Amino acid sequence: VKEAGRDFTYFIVVLVGIGVTGGLFYVIFRELFSSSSPSKIYGDALEKCRSHPEIIGVFGESIKGYGEATRRGRRQLVSHIEYVKDGLKHMRLKFYIEGSEPGKRGTVHVEVKENPERGRLEVRYIFVDVDTYPRRTIVIEDNR
């Protein structure tokens, strides 16, 4: 009876470990590979910025993107907000870009909205505020 109790305890510990590991894999997979994750939307928006001719003209060829600075000075956190309006999921992102042109910086604003037929998030708009002189706004995509 004592050995059977110990075996049962080990079995429960193994099941809990498998459950926790499965949950971690699910969260990682959803964050990295889902089309509706903030990091995926950020990557797609950054690629659109890198390929837009007007953005390249202002910032230069080598455009890099980054998020808000943390306490340690790392800039990996992309600011985003998720909300539901009229029963559809929306998300807004804000991140920053710099190019090879010295001193040129910009703030990128992105909004995506759930498409009810496809069940995916689709871009409503992407615009870039040029933070240095001369200040202006460049609209990349406007599907409102």
Side-chain angles (χ1 to χ4, degrees), residues 65-103:
Y66 54 91
E68 301 286 338
T70 62
R71 285 189 217 145
R72 293 184 175 179
R74 295 192 175 113
R75 301 183 295 189
Q76 298 172 342
L77 184 66
V78 175
S79 174
H80 72 281
I81 248 179
E82 295 181 41
Y83 61 97
V84 176
K85 181 178 177 185
D86 299 328
L88 298 174
K89 181 179 175 183
H90 291 65
M91 186 184 308
R92 288 186 181 160
L93 282 88
K94 181 176 91 171
F95 62 94
Y96 306 97
I97 58 173
E98 285 182 355
S100 57
E101 289 290 320

PDB file of all heavy atoms in Angstrom, residues 65-103:
ATOM      1  N   GLY A  65      13.315  48.930 -36.097  1.00  0.00           N
ATOM      2  CA  GLY A  65      12.191  49.257 -35.237  1.00  0.00           C
ATOM      3  C   GLY A  65      12.453  48.813 -33.816  1.00  0.00           C
ATOM      4  O   GLY A  65      13.183  47.852 -33.585  1.00  0.00           O
ATOM      5  N   TYR A  66      11.860  49.512 -32.871  1.00  0.00           N
ATOM      6  CA  TYR A  66      11.998  49.153 -31.472  1.00  0.00           C
ATOM      7  C   TYR A  66      10.799  49.673 -30.685  1.00  0.00           C
ATOM      8  O   TYR A  66      10.064  50.536 -31.149  1.00  0.00           O
ATOM      9  CB  TYR A  66      13.311  49.686 -30.881  1.00  0.00           C
ATOM     10  CG  TYR A  66      13.521  51.171 -31.061  1.00  0.00           C
ATOM     11  CD1 TYR A  66      13.081  52.062 -30.096  1.00  0.00           C
ATOM     12  CD2 TYR A  66      14.162  51.665 -32.186  1.00  0.00           C
ATOM     13  CE1 TYR A  66      13.266  53.421 -30.256  1.00  0.00           C
ATOM     14  CE2 TYR A  66      14.353  53.020 -32.350  1.00  0.00           C
ATOM     15  CZ  TYR A  66      13.909  53.898 -31.386  1.00  0.00           C
ATOM     16  OH  TYR A  66      14.096  55.241 -31.546  1.00  0.00           O
ATOM     17  N   GLY A  67      10.620  49.127 -29.494  1.00  0.00           N
ATOM     18  CA  GLY A  67       9.491  49.492 -28.650  1.00  0.00           C
ATOM     19  C   GLY A  67       9.873  50.462 -27.558  1.00  0.00           C
ATOM     20  O   GLY A  67      10.888  51.159 -27.634  1.00  0.00           O
ATOM     21  N   GLU A  68       9.050  50.497 -26.527  1.00  0.00           N
ATOM     22  CA  GLU A  68       9.283  51.376 -25.379  1.00  0.00           C
ATOM     23  C   GLU A  68      10.495  50.889 -24.596  1.00  0.00           C
ATOM     24  O   GLU A  68      10.758  49.694 -24.508  1.00  0.00           O
ATOM     25  CB  GLU A  68       8.057  51.358 -24.448  1.00  0.00           C
ATOM     26  CG  GLU A  68       6.770  51.803 -25.094  1.00  0.00           C
ATOM     27  CD  GLU A  68       6.696  53.291 -25.324  1.00  0.00           C
ATOM     28  OE1 GLU A  68       7.415  54.053 -24.646  1.00  0.00           O
ATOM     29  OE2 GLU A  68       5.918  53.692 -26.199  1.00  0.00           O
ATOM     30  N   ALA A  69      11.213  51.820 -23.998  1.00  0.00           N
ATOM     31  CA  ALA A  69      12.375  51.471 -23.189  1.00  0.00           C
ATOM     32  C   ALA A  69      11.927  50.949 -21.824  1.00  0.00           C
ATOM     33  O   ALA A  69      10.984  51.466 -21.223  1.00  0.00           O
ATOM     34  CB  ALA A  69      13.278  52.673 -23.011  1.00  0.00           C
ATOM     35  N   THR A  70      12.591  49.904 -21.337  1.00  0.00           N
ATOM     36  CA  THR A  70      12.334  49.375 -20.003  1.00  0.00           C
ATOM     37  C   THR A  70      13.276  50.064 -19.016  1.00  0.00           C
ATOM     38  O   THR A  70      14.100  50.894 -19.400  1.00  0.00           O
ATOM     39  CB  THR A  70      12.553  47.849 -19.956  1.00  0.00           C
ATOM     40  OG1 THR A  70      13.924  47.574 -20.278  1.00  0.00           O
ATOM     41  CG2 THR A  70      11.650  47.141 -20.945  1.00  0.00           C
ATOM     42  N   ARG A  71      13.195  49.688 -17.750  1.00  0.00           N
ATOM     43  CA  ARG A  71      14.065  50.275 -16.736  1.00  0.00           C
ATOM     44  C   ARG A  71      15.537  49.997 -17.017  1.00  0.00           C
ATOM     45  O   ARG A  71      16.401  50.780 -16.670  1.00  0.00           O
ATOM     46  CB  ARG A  71      13.715  49.714 -15.353  1.00  0.00           C
ATOM     47  CG  ARG A  71      12.456  50.281 -14.800  1.00  0.00           C
ATOM     48  CD  ARG A  71      12.284  49.849 -13.362  1.00  0.00           C
ATOM     49  NE  ARG A  71      10.882  49.625 -13.145  1.00  0.00           N
ATOM     50  CZ  ARG A  71      10.370  48.705 -12.375  1.00  0.00           C
ATOM     51  NH1 ARG A  71      11.161  47.884 -11.725  1.00  0.00           N
ATOM     52  NH2 ARG A  71       9.082  48.577 -12.231  1.00  0.00           N
ATOM     53  N   ARG A  72      15.803  48.851 -17.623  1.00  0.00           N
ATOM     54  CA  ARG A  72      17.188  48.484 -17.903  1.00  0.00           C
ATOM     55  C   ARG A  72      17.688  49.055 -19.226  1.00  0.00           C
ATOM     56  O   ARG A  72      18.786  48.763 -19.651  1.00  0.00           O
ATOM     57  CB  ARG A  72      17.319  46.970 -17.939  1.00  0.00           C
ATOM     58  CG  ARG A  72      17.091  46.345 -16.604  1.00  0.00           C
ATOM     59  CD  ARG A  72      17.333  44.878 -16.687  1.00  0.00           C
ATOM     60  NE  ARG A  72      17.233  44.272 -15.366  1.00  0.00           N
ATOM     61  CZ  ARG A  72      17.382  43.017 -15.130  1.00  0.00           C
ATOM     62  NH1 ARG A  72      17.635  42.192 -16.132  1.00  0.00           N
ATOM     63  NH2 ARG A  72      17.296  42.534 -13.919  1.00  0.00           N
ATOM     64  N   GLY A  73      16.866  49.832 -19.893  1.00  0.00           N
ATOM     65  CA  GLY A  73      17.293  50.455 -21.129  1.00  0.00           C
ATOM     66  C   GLY A  73      17.018  49.634 -22.374  1.00  0.00           C
ATOM     67  O   GLY A  73      17.332  50.045 -23.471  1.00  0.00           O
ATOM     68  N   ARG A  74      16.424  48.463 -22.213  1.00  0.00           N
ATOM     69  CA  ARG A  74      16.087  47.655 -23.378  1.00  0.00           C
ATOM     70  C   ARG A  74      14.826  48.204 -24.016  1.00  0.00           C
ATOM     71  O   ARG A  74      13.923  48.664 -23.345  1.00  0.00           O
ATOM     72  CB  ARG A  74      15.886  46.200 -22.964  1.00  0.00           C
ATOM     73  CG  ARG A  74      17.158  45.593 -22.441  1.00  0.00           C
ATOM     74  CD  ARG A  74      17.026  44.098 -22.320  1.00  0.00           C
ATOM     75  NE  ARG A  74      18.294  43.531 -21.925  1.00  0.00           N
ATOM     76  CZ  ARG A  74      18.527  42.951 -20.774  1.00  0.00           C
ATOM     77  NH1 ARG A  74      17.549  42.843 -19.895  1.00  0.00           N
ATOM     78  NH2 ARG A  74      19.701  42.463 -20.493  1.00  0.00           N
ATOM     79  N   ARG A  75      14.756  48.116 -25.338  1.00  0.00           N
ATOM     80  CA  ARG A  75      13.629  48.700 -26.058  1.00  0.00           C
ATOM     81  C   ARG A  75      12.871  47.620 -26.824  1.00  0.00           C
ATOM     82  O   ARG A  75      12.662  47.731 -28.010  1.00  0.00           O
ATOM     83  CB  ARG A  75      14.135  49.783 -27.004  1.00  0.00           C
ATOM     84  CG  ARG A  75      14.855  50.877 -26.287  1.00  0.00           C
ATOM     85  CD  ARG A  75      15.272  51.964 -27.197  1.00  0.00           C
ATOM     86  NE  ARG A  75      16.257  51.510 -28.179  1.00  0.00           N
ATOM     87  CZ  ARG A  75      16.914  52.313 -28.982  1.00  0.00           C
ATOM     88  NH1 ARG A  75      16.708  53.599 -28.933  1.00  0.00           N
ATOM     89  NH2 ARG A  75      17.771  51.838 -29.836  1.00  0.00           N
ATOM     90  N   GLN A  76      12.444  46.590 -26.131  1.00  0.00           N
ATOM     91  CA  GLN A  76      11.799  45.466 -26.795  1.00  0.00           C
ATOM     92  C   GLN A  76      10.283  45.467 -26.620  1.00  0.00           C
ATOM     93  O   GLN A  76       9.594  44.719 -27.286  1.00  0.00           O
ATOM     94  CB  GLN A  76      12.361  44.152 -26.249  1.00  0.00           C
ATOM     95  CG  GLN A  76      13.835  43.998 -26.511  1.00  0.00           C
ATOM     96  CD  GLN A  76      14.414  42.802 -25.814  1.00  0.00           C
ATOM     97  OE1 GLN A  76      13.835  42.275 -24.891  1.00  0.00           O
ATOM     98  NE2 GLN A  76      15.574  42.378 -26.254  1.00  0.00           N
ATOM     99  N   LEU A  77       9.749  46.270 -25.743  1.00  0.00           N
ATOM    100  CA  LEU A  77       8.331  46.248 -25.420  1.00  0.00           C
ATOM    101  C   LEU A  77       7.544  47.110 -26.401  1.00  0.00           C
ATOM    102  O   LEU A  77       7.670  48.330 -26.391  1.00  0.00           O
ATOM    103  CB  LEU A  77       8.112  46.738 -23.986  1.00  0.00           C
ATOM    104  CG  LEU A  77       6.695  46.695 -23.464  1.00  0.00           C
ATOM    105  CD1 LEU A  77       6.224  45.255 -23.342  1.00  0.00           C
ATOM    106  CD2 LEU A  77       6.602  47.379 -22.124  1.00  0.00           C
ATOM    107  N   VAL A  78       6.771  46.470 -27.273  1.00  0.00           N
ATOM    108  CA  VAL A  78       5.935  47.204 -28.224  1.00  0.00           C
ATOM    109  C   VAL A  78       4.622  47.525 -27.521  1.00  0.00           C
ATOM    110  O   VAL A  78       3.913  46.631 -27.059  1.00  0.00           O
ATOM    111  CB  VAL A  78       5.690  46.374 -29.501  1.00  0.00           C
ATOM    112  CG1 VAL A  78       4.720  47.078 -30.419  1.00  0.00           C
ATOM    113  CG2 VAL A  78       7.004  46.119 -30.207  1.00  0.00           C
ATOM    114  N   SER A  79       4.311  48.805 -27.443  1.00  0.00           N
ATOM    115  CA  SER A  79       3.096  49.255 -26.776  1.00  0.00           C
ATOM    116  C   SER A  79       1.880  48.854 -27.604  1.00  0.00           C
ATOM    117  O   SER A  79       1.821  49.136 -28.801  1.00  0.00           O
ATOM    118  CB  SER A  79       3.165  50.769 -26.616  1.00  0.00           C
ATOM    119  OG  SER A  79       1.964  51.264 -26.105  1.00  0.00           O
ATOM    120  N   HIS A  80       0.931  48.168 -26.967  1.00  0.00           N
ATOM    121  CA  HIS A  80      -0.293  47.791 -27.682  1.00  0.00           C
ATOM    122  C   HIS A  80      -1.479  47.795 -26.733  1.00  0.00           C
ATOM    123  O   HIS A  80      -1.329  47.663 -25.533  1.00  0.00           O
ATOM    124  CB  HIS A  80      -0.153  46.419 -28.352  1.00  0.00           C
ATOM    125  CG  HIS A  80      -0.163  45.274 -27.396  1.00  0.00           C
ATOM    126  ND1 HIS A  80       0.936  44.924 -26.656  1.00  0.00           N
ATOM    127  CD2 HIS A  80      -1.139  44.408 -27.051  1.00  0.00           C
ATOM    128  CE1 HIS A  80       0.643  43.886 -25.904  1.00  0.00           C
ATOM    129  NE2 HIS A  80      -0.616  43.551 -26.112  1.00  0.00           N
ATOM    130  N   ILE A  81      -2.640  47.971 -27.333  1.00  0.00           N
ATOM    131  CA  ILE A  81      -3.908  47.987 -26.589  1.00  0.00           C
ATOM    132  C   ILE A  81      -4.898  47.142 -27.369  1.00  0.00           C
ATOM    133  O   ILE A  81      -4.976  47.271 -28.585  1.00  0.00           O
ATOM    134  CB  ILE A  81      -4.389  49.429 -26.437  1.00  0.00           C
ATOM    135  CG1 ILE A  81      -4.326  49.861 -25.009  1.00  0.00           C
ATOM    136  CG2 ILE A  81      -5.734  49.646 -26.968  1.00  0.00           C
ATOM    137  CD1 ILE A  81      -4.775  51.286 -24.808  1.00  0.00           C
ATOM    138  N   GLU A  82      -5.598  46.260 -26.700  1.00  0.00           N
ATOM    139  CA  GLU A  82      -6.637  45.449 -27.335  1.00  0.00           C
ATOM    140  C   GLU A  82      -7.990  45.877 -26.777  1.00  0.00           C
ATOM    141  O   GLU A  82      -8.113  46.120 -25.580  1.00  0.00           O
ATOM    142  CB  GLU A  82      -6.414  43.969 -27.043  1.00  0.00           C
ATOM    143  CG  GLU A  82      -5.145  43.415 -27.640  1.00  0.00           C
ATOM    144  CD  GLU A  82      -4.965  41.937 -27.344  1.00  0.00           C
ATOM    145  OE1 GLU A  82      -5.966  41.186 -27.418  1.00  0.00           O
ATOM    146  OE2 GLU A  82      -3.832  41.544 -27.041  1.00  0.00           O
ATOM    147  N   TYR A  83      -8.986  45.971 -27.655  1.00  0.00           N
ATOM    148  CA  TYR A  83     -10.319  46.320 -27.208  1.00  0.00           C
ATOM    149  C   TYR A  83     -11.346  45.728 -28.160  1.00  0.00           C
ATOM    150  O   TYR A  83     -11.018  45.295 -29.263  1.00  0.00           O
ATOM    151  CB  TYR A  83     -10.486  47.850 -27.092  1.00  0.00           C
ATOM    152  CG  TYR A  83     -10.300  48.610 -28.382  1.00  0.00           C
ATOM    153  CD1 TYR A  83     -11.400  48.980 -29.158  1.00  0.00           C
ATOM    154  CD2 TYR A  83      -9.039  48.965 -28.827  1.00  0.00           C
ATOM    155  CE1 TYR A  83     -11.231  49.681 -30.340  1.00  0.00           C
ATOM    156  CE2 TYR A  83      -8.863  49.665 -30.009  1.00  0.00           C
ATOM    157  CZ  TYR A  83      -9.957  50.025 -30.758  1.00  0.00           C
ATOM    158  OH  TYR A  83      -9.788  50.713 -31.925  1.00  0.00           O
ATOM    159  N   VAL A  84     -12.596  45.692 -27.706  1.00  0.00           N
ATOM    160  CA  VAL A  84     -13.693  45.169 -28.512  1.00  0.00           C
ATOM    161  C   VAL A  84     -14.661  46.307 -28.778  1.00  0.00           C
ATOM    162  O   VAL A  84     -15.092  47.002 -27.861  1.00  0.00           O
ATOM    163  CB  VAL A  84     -14.411  44.003 -27.789  1.00  0.00           C
ATOM    164  CG1 VAL A  84     -15.609  43.534 -28.592  1.00  0.00           C
ATOM    165  CG2 VAL A  84     -13.449  42.861 -27.535  1.00  0.00           C
ATOM    166  N   LYS A  85     -14.985  46.517 -30.059  1.00  0.00           N
ATOM    167  CA  LYS A  85     -15.915  47.566 -30.456  1.00  0.00           C
ATOM    168  C   LYS A  85     -16.883  46.949 -31.452  1.00  0.00           C
ATOM    169  O   LYS A  85     -16.465  46.330 -32.423  1.00  0.00           O
ATOM    170  CB  LYS A  85     -15.151  48.724 -31.107  1.00  0.00           C
ATOM    171  CG  LYS A  85     -16.017  49.877 -31.529  1.00  0.00           C
ATOM    172  CD  LYS A  85     -15.149  50.981 -32.121  1.00  0.00           C
ATOM    173  CE  LYS A  85     -16.014  52.112 -32.611  1.00  0.00           C
ATOM    174  NZ  LYS A  85     -15.201  53.125 -33.285  1.00  0.00           N
ATOM    175  N   ASP A  86     -18.174  47.114 -31.206  1.00  0.00           N
ATOM    176  CA  ASP A  86     -19.228  46.535 -32.055  1.00  0.00           C
ATOM    177  C   ASP A  86     -19.070  45.021 -32.199  1.00  0.00           C
ATOM    178  O   ASP A  86     -19.337  44.455 -33.261  1.00  0.00           O
ATOM    179  CB  ASP A  86     -19.243  47.187 -33.442  1.00  0.00           C
ATOM    180  CG  ASP A  86     -19.511  48.683 -33.383  1.00  0.00           C
ATOM    181  OD1 ASP A  86     -20.245  49.106 -32.465  1.00  0.00           O
ATOM    182  OD2 ASP A  86     -18.988  49.419 -34.234  1.00  0.00           O
ATOM    183  N   GLY A  87     -18.599  44.371 -31.156  1.00  0.00           N
ATOM    184  CA  GLY A  87     -18.440  42.918 -31.161  1.00  0.00           C
ATOM    185  C   GLY A  87     -17.220  42.411 -31.911  1.00  0.00           C
ATOM    186  O   GLY A  87     -17.031  41.208 -32.040  1.00  0.00           O
ATOM    187  N   LEU A  88     -16.371  43.314 -32.403  1.00  0.00           N
ATOM    188  CA  LEU A  88     -15.171  42.922 -33.148  1.00  0.00           C
ATOM    189  C   LEU A  88     -13.923  43.324 -32.373  1.00  0.00           C
ATOM    190  O   LEU A  88     -13.856  44.401 -31.784  1.00  0.00           O
ATOM    191  CB  LEU A  88     -15.146  43.576 -34.532  1.00  0.00           C
ATOM    192  CG  LEU A  88     -16.298  43.210 -35.462  1.00  0.00           C
ATOM    193  CD1 LEU A  88     -16.228  44.035 -36.736  1.00  0.00           C
ATOM    194  CD2 LEU A  88     -16.273  41.726 -35.782  1.00  0.00           C
ATOM    195  N   LYS A  89     -12.928  42.462 -32.422  1.00  0.00           N
ATOM    196  CA  LYS A  89     -11.673  42.707 -31.727  1.00  0.00           C
ATOM    197  C   LYS A  89     -10.838  43.712 -32.520  1.00  0.00           C
ATOM    198  O   LYS A  89     -10.713  43.612 -33.737  1.00  0.00           O
ATOM    199  CB  LYS A  89     -10.902  41.395 -31.578  1.00  0.00           C
ATOM    200  CG  LYS A  89      -9.608  41.503 -30.854  1.00  0.00           C
ATOM    201  CD  LYS A  89      -8.949  40.136 -30.748  1.00  0.00           C
ATOM    202  CE  LYS A  89      -7.577  40.254 -30.125  1.00  0.00           C
ATOM    203  NZ  LYS A  89      -6.895  38.967 -30.083  1.00  0.00           N
ATOM    204  N   HIS A  90     -10.279  44.697 -31.807  1.00  0.00           N
ATOM    205  CA  HIS A  90      -9.394  45.698 -32.394  1.00  0.00           C
ATOM    206  C   HIS A  90      -8.092  45.689 -31.598  1.00  0.00           C
ATOM    207  O   HIS A  90      -8.077  45.320 -30.423  1.00  0.00           O
ATOM    208  CB  HIS A  90      -9.978  47.104 -32.307  1.00  0.00           C
ATOM    209  CG  HIS A  90     -11.168  47.343 -33.170  1.00  0.00           C
ATOM    210  ND1 HIS A  90     -12.369  46.709 -33.002  1.00  0.00           N
ATOM    211  CD2 HIS A  90     -11.333  48.173 -34.222  1.00  0.00           C
ATOM    212  CE1 HIS A  90     -13.228  47.137 -33.907  1.00  0.00           C
ATOM    213  NE2 HIS A  90     -12.620  48.026 -34.662  1.00  0.00           N
ATOM    214  N   MET A  91      -7.014  46.135 -32.244  1.00  0.00           N
ATOM    215  CA  MET A  91      -5.745  46.283 -31.542  1.00  0.00           C
ATOM    216  C   MET A  91      -5.003  47.484 -32.132  1.00  0.00           C
ATOM    217  O   MET A  91      -4.999  47.672 -33.346  1.00  0.00           O
ATOM    218  CB  MET A  91      -4.874  45.029 -31.689  1.00  0.00           C
ATOM    219  CG  MET A  91      -3.617  45.073 -30.860  1.00  0.00           C
ATOM    220  SD  MET A  91      -2.506  43.655 -31.091  1.00  0.00           S
ATOM    221  CE  MET A  91      -3.586  42.289 -30.832  1.00  0.00           C
ATOM    222  N   ARG A  92      -4.415  48.289 -31.254  1.00  0.00           N
ATOM    223  CA  ARG A  92      -3.578  49.413 -31.668  1.00  0.00           C
ATOM    224  C   ARG A  92      -2.177  49.191 -31.143  1.00  0.00           C
ATOM    225  O   ARG A  92      -1.993  48.797 -29.993  1.00  0.00           O
ATOM    226  CB  ARG A  92      -4.114  50.726 -31.112  1.00  0.00           C
ATOM    227  CG  ARG A  92      -5.360  51.186 -31.775  1.00  0.00           C
ATOM    228  CD  ARG A  92      -5.769  52.549 -31.292  1.00  0.00           C
ATOM    229  NE  ARG A  92      -7.012  52.941 -31.955  1.00  0.00           N
ATOM    230  CZ  ARG A  92      -7.813  53.863 -31.514  1.00  0.00           C
ATOM    231  NH1 ARG A  92      -7.524  54.512 -30.403  1.00  0.00           N
ATOM    232  NH2 ARG A  92      -8.911  54.160 -32.171  1.00  0.00           N
ATOM    233  N   LEU A  93      -1.201  49.450 -31.994  1.00  0.00           N
ATOM    234  CA  LEU A  93       0.202  49.316 -31.627  1.00  0.00           C
ATOM    235  C   LEU A  93       0.915  50.632 -31.871  1.00  0.00           C
ATOM    236  O   LEU A  93       0.528  51.395 -32.758  1.00  0.00           O
ATOM    237  CB  LEU A  93       0.900  48.254 -32.479  1.00  0.00           C
ATOM    238  CG  LEU A  93       0.663  46.807 -32.142  1.00  0.00           C
ATOM    239  CD1 LEU A  93      -0.539  46.287 -32.862  1.00  0.00           C
ATOM    240  CD2 LEU A  93       1.863  45.994 -32.488  1.00  0.00           C
ATOM    241  N   LYS A  94       1.961  50.854 -31.096  1.00  0.00           N
ATOM    242  CA  LYS A  94       2.819  52.016 -31.294  1.00  0.00           C
ATOM    243  C   LYS A  94       4.254  51.560 -31.089  1.00  0.00           C
ATOM    244  O   LYS A  94       4.575  50.931 -30.079  1.00  0.00           O
ATOM    245  CB  LYS A  94       2.474  53.123 -30.310  1.00  0.00           C
ATOM    246  CG  LYS A  94       3.320  54.380 -30.495  1.00  0.00           C
ATOM    247  CD  LYS A  94       2.878  55.481 -29.557  1.00  0.00           C
ATOM    248  CE  LYS A  94       3.660  55.388 -28.281  1.00  0.00           C
ATOM    249  NZ  LYS A  94       3.469  56.524 -27.385  1.00  0.00           N
ATOM    250  N   PHE A  95       5.100  51.855 -32.080  1.00  0.00           N
ATOM    251  CA  PHE A  95       6.518  51.571 -31.945  1.00  0.00           C
ATOM    252  C   PHE A  95       7.305  52.644 -32.677  1.00  0.00           C
ATOM    253  O   PHE A  95       6.731  53.534 -33.300  1.00  0.00           O
ATOM    254  CB  PHE A  95       6.867  50.156 -32.418  1.00  0.00           C
ATOM    255  CG  PHE A  95       6.593  49.883 -33.875  1.00  0.00           C
ATOM    256  CD1 PHE A  95       7.577  50.044 -34.835  1.00  0.00           C
ATOM    257  CD2 PHE A  95       5.346  49.433 -34.292  1.00  0.00           C
ATOM    258  CE1 PHE A  95       7.335  49.786 -36.164  1.00  0.00           C
ATOM    259  CE2 PHE A  95       5.089  49.161 -35.618  1.00  0.00           C
ATOM    260  CZ  PHE A  95       6.091  49.337 -36.563  1.00  0.00           C
ATOM    261  N   TYR A  96       8.611  52.565 -32.599  1.00  0.00           N
ATOM    262  CA  TYR A  96       9.473  53.623 -33.119  1.00  0.00           C
ATOM    263  C   TYR A  96      10.400  53.056 -34.188  1.00  0.00           C
ATOM    264  O   TYR A  96      10.758  51.881 -34.151  1.00  0.00           O
ATOM    265  CB  TYR A  96      10.297  54.241 -31.982  1.00  0.00           C
ATOM    266  CG  TYR A  96       9.428  54.708 -30.855  1.00  0.00           C
ATOM    267  CD1 TYR A  96       9.214  53.916 -29.734  1.00  0.00           C
ATOM    268  CD2 TYR A  96       8.772  55.927 -30.923  1.00  0.00           C
ATOM    269  CE1 TYR A  96       8.390  54.332 -28.705  1.00  0.00           C
ATOM    270  CE2 TYR A  96       7.941  56.357 -29.902  1.00  0.00           C
ATOM    271  CZ  TYR A  96       7.759  55.553 -28.800  1.00  0.00           C
ATOM    272  OH  TYR A  96       6.935  55.971 -27.787  1.00  0.00           O
ATOM    273  N   ILE A  97      10.778  53.913 -35.140  1.00  0.00           N
ATOM    274  CA  ILE A  97      11.720  53.495 -36.166  1.00  0.00           C
ATOM    275  C   ILE A  97      12.837  54.525 -36.281  1.00  0.00           C
ATOM    276  O   ILE A  97      12.658  55.704 -35.956  1.00  0.00           O
ATOM    277  CB  ILE A  97      11.050  53.289 -37.547  1.00  0.00           C
ATOM    278  CG1 ILE A  97      10.345  54.548 -38.038  1.00  0.00           C
ATOM    279  CG2 ILE A  97      10.122  52.103 -37.531  1.00  0.00           C
ATOM    280  CD1 ILE A  97       9.822  54.441 -39.461  1.00  0.00           C
ATOM    281  N   GLU A  98      14.002  54.045 -36.710  1.00  0.00           N
ATOM    282  CA  GLU A  98      15.157  54.868 -37.016  1.00  0.00           C
ATOM    283  C   GLU A  98      15.741  54.346 -38.311  1.00  0.00           C
ATOM    284  O   GLU A  98      15.624  53.165 -38.615  1.00  0.00           O
ATOM    285  CB  GLU A  98      16.234  54.765 -35.933  1.00  0.00           C
ATOM    286  CG  GLU A  98      15.945  55.493 -34.675  1.00  0.00           C
ATOM    287  CD  GLU A  98      17.089  55.365 -33.672  1.00  0.00           C
ATOM    288  OE1 GLU A  98      18.054  54.624 -33.931  1.00  0.00           O
ATOM    289  OE2 GLU A  98      16.996  56.019 -32.629  1.00  0.00           O
ATOM    290  N   GLY A  99      16.395  55.222 -39.048  1.00  0.00           N
ATOM    291  CA  GLY A  99      17.020  54.809 -40.285  1.00  0.00           C
ATOM    292  C   GLY A  99      18.497  55.134 -40.302  1.00  0.00           C
ATOM    293  O   GLY A  99      19.081  55.530 -39.291  1.00  0.00           O
ATOM    294  N   SER A 100      19.097  54.985 -41.472  1.00  0.00           N
ATOM    295  CA  SER A 100      20.522  55.269 -41.617  1.00  0.00           C
ATOM    296  C   SER A 100      20.800  56.772 -41.700  1.00  0.00           C
ATOM    297  O   SER A 100      21.926  57.203 -41.495  1.00  0.00           O
ATOM    298  CB  SER A 100      21.071  54.560 -42.864  1.00  0.00           C
ATOM    299  OG  SER A 100      20.342  54.960 -44.015  1.00  0.00           O
ATOM    300  N   GLU A 101      19.767  57.573 -41.983  1.00  0.00           N
ATOM    301  CA  GLU A 101      19.930  59.029 -41.970  1.00  0.00           C
ATOM    302  C   GLU A 101      20.143  59.473 -40.523  1.00  0.00           C
ATOM    303  O   GLU A 101      19.351  59.138 -39.645  1.00  0.00           O
ATOM    304  CB  GLU A 101      18.687  59.717 -42.539  1.00  0.00           C
ATOM    305  CG  GLU A 101      18.494  59.564 -44.017  1.00  0.00           C
ATOM    306  CD  GLU A 101      19.509  60.346 -44.817  1.00  0.00           C
ATOM    307  OE1 GLU A 101      19.837  61.485 -44.419  1.00  0.00           O
ATOM    308  OE2 GLU A 101      19.975  59.803 -45.821  1.00  0.00           O
ATOM    309  N   PRO A 102      21.195  60.230 -40.252  1.00  0.00           N
ATOM    310  CA  PRO A 102      21.479  60.614 -38.864  1.00  0.00           C
ATOM    311  C   PRO A 102      20.383  61.492 -38.261  1.00  0.00           C
ATOM    312  O   PRO A 102      19.924  62.453 -38.880  1.00  0.00           O
ATOM    313  CB  PRO A 102      22.804  61.378 -38.955  1.00  0.00           C
ATOM    314  CG  PRO A 102      23.025  61.661 -40.399  1.00  0.00           C
ATOM    315  CD  PRO A 102      22.171  60.738 -41.196  1.00  0.00           C
ATOM    316  N   GLY A 103      19.966  61.118 -37.069  1.00  0.00           N
ATOM    317  CA  GLY A 103      18.994  61.905 -36.320  1.00  0.00           C
ATOM    318  C   GLY A 103      17.552  61.763 -36.752  1.00  0.00           C
ATOM    319  O   GLY A 103      16.681  62.395 -36.181  1.00  0.00           O
TER     320      GLY A 103
END
